[in-house]
């Protein structure tokens, strides 16, 4: 063969060495955009209230995690404003060095008291809590055992640790026990979501606690979607099951019921002290801004002083669960204000979301890998501040769209 042809052939199959080549080839989102089916990064022009403004048009929001409706509460907003007046807009450094304010410490004390633990530590985001805590606690000779449906931040925290990572089938206690038996001689941390954020079901905490005791494991619960929602006084999944003393670590975020951004971990004083000095996502990140800290402090007081908000949230949840189910939708295993509508194929879910948007309803689309293939969802979530009128409009929109695309009727 001509040497020039061989050379040309080799050049033709030579692998690209441009690291950006994957960016140029990525076309999934562009295809959805070109077909008018892209449901992400939608721009909202108002507060996260039951009614929002998008593209100058009023819509009903059933895609927010603002469960108690506190992001617009006058006391929360006033607390943020007053904090900015006193402390400015930022801390200009990490908690470890110059960024710890007295309001950070006071909030940690308030959170520890609220969660009924000895101590608490606040981070700038909920994601950073799981990154920092898991990677600090799980060393090279340890095992971290997680539910297959745990949040991405838990998975990434495991990746940053030097320990062995094992997953058990979702809420499958026999599979969890299999792993605990296999690693009986290792130091073990079980990490689960209290409320699973996509389908709204609750971790089987009573059995997890029993197995942890049997096999000498510690338990960490990510209660991002449980705090403010579950339990007699809104203290989350552990309170819901009466197991507050049995769970070693409880993690929470502010971006749901606590009306801001950030997160915390709570547990024994010695454990929190250890995390405080080893969690890289705390030590090397800027401190939570004053407005956020003050907002959370105010939100905690409202949760304790206005239990009627939680009661209204559950009233709305029951109405929507029954309403959607009566219409014929498959609503999954939800036990919380997160109510998913199982659609099936990804493309159908994208179409449904855009049709709902045309009907004036903002709902979220969840596709693989966040859920298994063939189980794409329209994820809805409800607020204490939704009115019956809001919810009736949403049900009519779902009925209309569901019938059009053949999911019901």
């Amino acid at each position: 063969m001509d040497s020039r042809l061989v050379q040309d052939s080799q050049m033709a199959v030579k692998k690209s060495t441009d690291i950006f080549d994957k960016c140029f080839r990525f076309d999934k989102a562009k295809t959805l955009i070109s077909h008018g089916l892209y449901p992400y990064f939608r721009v909202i022009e108002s507060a996260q209230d039951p009614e929002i403004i998008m593209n100058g048009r009023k819509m009903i929001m059933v895609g927010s995690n603002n469960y108690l409706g506190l992001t617009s509460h006058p006391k929360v907003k006033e607390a943020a404003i007053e904090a900015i007046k006193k402390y400015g807009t930022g801390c200009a450094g990490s908690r470890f060095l110059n960024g710890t304010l007295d309001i950070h410490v006071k909030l940690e004390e308030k959170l520890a008291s609220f969660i009924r633990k000895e101590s608490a530590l606040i981070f700038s985001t909920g994601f950073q809590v799981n990154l920092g805590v898991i990677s600090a606690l799980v060393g090279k000779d340890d095992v971290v055992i997680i539910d297959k449906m745990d949040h991405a931040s838990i998975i990434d925290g495991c990746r940053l640790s030097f320990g062995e990572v094992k997953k058990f089938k979702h809420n499958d206690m026999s599979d969890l026990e299999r792993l605990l038996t296999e690693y009986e001689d290792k130091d073990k941390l079980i990490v689960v979501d209290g409320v699973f954020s996509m389908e709204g079901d609750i971790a089987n905490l009573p059995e997890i606690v029993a197995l942890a005791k049997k096999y000498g494991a510690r338990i960490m619960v990510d209660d991002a979607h449980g705090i403010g929602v579950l339990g007699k006084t809104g203290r989350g999944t552990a309170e819901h099951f009466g197991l507050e003393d049995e769970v070693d670590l409880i993690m929470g975020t502010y971006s749901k019921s606590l009306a801001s951004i950030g997160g915390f971990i709570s547990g024994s004083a010695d454990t929190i002290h250890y995390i405080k000095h080893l969690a890289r996502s705390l030590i090397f990140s800027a401190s939570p801004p004053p407005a956020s800290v003050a907002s959370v402090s105010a939100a905690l007081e409202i949760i304790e002083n206005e239990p009627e908000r939680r009661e209204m949230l559950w009233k709305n949840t029951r109405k929507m669960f029954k309403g959607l189910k009566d219409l014929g939708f498959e609503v999954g295993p939800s036990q919380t204000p997160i109510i998913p509508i199982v659609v099936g194929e990804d493309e159908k879910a994208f179409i449904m979301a855009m049709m709902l948007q045309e009907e004036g309803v903002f709902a979220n689309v969840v596709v693989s890998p966040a859920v298994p293939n063939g189980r794409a969802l329209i994820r809805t979530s409800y607020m204490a501040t939704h009115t019956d009128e809001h919810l009736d409009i949403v049900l009519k929109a779902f009925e209309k769209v569901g019938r059009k695309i053949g999911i019901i009727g």
Side-chain angles (χ1 to χ4, degrees):
M1 184 183 289
D2 190 311
S3 62
R4 286 174 300 180
L5 291 175
V6 172
Q7 189 177 11
D8 289 345
S9 175
Q10 288 173 341
M11 289 177 67
V13 297
K14 186 180 178 183
K15 185 179 180 294
S16 168
T17 56
D18 184 354
I19 199 168
F20 287 177
D21 192 49
K22 63 178 73 71
C23 309
F24 307 139
R25 294 196 310 269
F26 178 69
D27 62 359
K28 289 181 181 177
K30 291 175 183 175
T31 300
L32 289 172
I33 292 168
S34 68
H35 287 84
L37 296 176
Y38 186 68
Y40 306 118
F41 297 99
R42 288 179 280 181
V43 179
I44 297 168
E45 300 152 4
S46 61
Q48 289 275 326
D49 290 329
E51 290 185 359
I52 59 163
I53 304 296
M54 195 173 80
N55 297 325
R57 179 185 172 207
K58 189 181 288 186
M59 300 182 69
I60 296 174
M61 167 60 81
V62 292
S64 175
N65 298 318
N66 184 22
Y67 299 119
L68 298 178
L70 297 184
T71 58
S72 294
H73 196 291
K75 290 180 182 176
V76 173
K77 292 196 289 187
E78 185 60 31
I81 291 166
E82 290 303 314
I84 288 175
K85 285 179 180 177
K86 180 174 180 179
Y87 298 99
T89 57
C91 299
S94 70
R95 290 289 310 281
F96 195 67
L97 295 176
N98 65 295
T100 294
L101 302 174
D102 56 350
I103 56 171
H104 290 120
V105 177
K106 288 174 184 174
L107 178 58
E108 286 170 341
E109 292 169 352
K110 188 178 281 192
L111 283 164
S113 175
F114 181 77
I115 300 297
R116 296 173 177 146
K117 294 293 182 188
E118 286 182 351
S119 190
L121 181 65
I122 64 175
F123 291 66
S124 295
T125 71
F127 206 105
Q128 287 177 338
V129 179
N130 285 336
L131 293 185
V133 171
I134 296 169
S135 61
L137 290 174
V138 181
K140 65 182 179 64
D141 297 320
D142 305 328
V143 178
V144 55
I145 301 173
I146 64 174
D147 188 292
K148 190 176 180 181
M149 294 300 289
D150 274 353
H151 191 265
S153 58
I154 294 174
I155 294 167
D156 286 356
C158 293
R159 287 171 175 168
L160 286 178
S161 77
F162 291 99
E164 195 166 354
V165 183
K166 293 294 174 180
K167 295 181 181 179
F168 62 94
K169 295 173 187 174
H170 179 48
N171 251 345
D172 186 326
M173 296 300 102
S174 61
D175 201 36
L176 171 58
E177 185 165 22
R178 175 185 64 81
L179 291 173
L180 289 168
T181 304
E182 186 177 344
Y183 294 95
E184 193 166 4
D185 60 341
K186 295 272 192 178
D187 291 347
K188 300 171 287 296
L189 178 67
I190 301 169
V191 187
V192 294
D193 286 356
V195 174
F196 291 92
S197 59
M198 292 299 103
E199 299 216 17
D201 53 330
I202 303 172
N204 188 347
L205 206 51
E207 289 198 40
I208 292 170
V209 166
L211 288 171
K213 284 185 175 181
K214 181 178 178 181
Y215 293 97
R218 295 288 188 171
I219 303 171
M220 173 178 166
V221 174
D222 176 335
D223 222 13
H225 295 270
I227 290 169
V229 175
L230 293 179
K232 185 178 179 181
T233 61
R235 283 167 166 82
T237 307
E239 185 189 41
H240 173 73
F241 287 113
L243 294 169
E244 290 169 285
D245 293 336
E246 312 300 330
V247 175
D248 301 290
L249 292 168
I250 295 177
M251 173 271 185
T253 60
Y254 309 154
S255 54
K256 282 75 179 178
S257 293
L258 294 176
S260 188
I261 186 168
F264 70 91
I265 189 73
S266 59
S268 72
D270 285 344
T271 307
I272 299 304
H273 179 77
Y274 177 87
I275 293 167
K276 189 176 186 176
H277 291 88
L278 273 294
R280 291 166 63 86
S281 63
L282 174 84
I283 295 168
F284 298 102
S285 286
S287 183
S292 172
V293 176
S295 298
V296 175
S297 185
L300 284 171
E301 292 173 10
I302 295 165
I303 289 172
E304 293 198 275
N305 295 328
E306 299 182 17
E308 62 273 14
R309 284 183 174 265
R310 195 166 51 261
E311 292 165 12
M312 183 56 71
L313 171 65
W314 281 101
K315 174 180 174 289
N316 289 342
T317 298
R318 288 189 292 270
K319 175 185 174 84
M320 292 307 293
F321 189 88
K322 182 179 186 302
L324 290 164
K325 204 163 185 179
D326 287 350
L327 287 172
F329 288 105
E330 182 185 348
V331 294
S334 176
Q335 300 161 275
T336 64
I338 301 166
I339 304 178
I341 289 83
V342 180
V343 177
E345 297 307 314
D346 291 0
E347 185 180 356
K348 188 173 279 191
F350 292 132
I351 292 169
M352 186 169 181
M354 292 299 100
M355 290 176 71
L356 286 167
Q357 185 172 300
E358 287 300 309
E359 296 298 320
V361 173
F362 186 112
N364 292 311
V365 182
V366 182
V367 297
S368 58
V371 290
N373 280 320
R375 195 176 170 81
L377 309 173
I378 298 294
R379 180 190 183 274
T380 68
S381 48
Y382 299 92
M383 306 182 212
T385 43
H386 278 120
T387 65
D388 280 336
E389 184 182 1
H390 291 140
L391 301 179
D392 288 340
I393 292 169
V394 171
L395 287 171
K396 286 178 183 175
F398 267 95
E399 180 178 18
K400 181 177 178 180
V401 171
R403 291 190 188 282
K404 275 189 177 178
I405 64 174
I407 292 179
I408 59 170

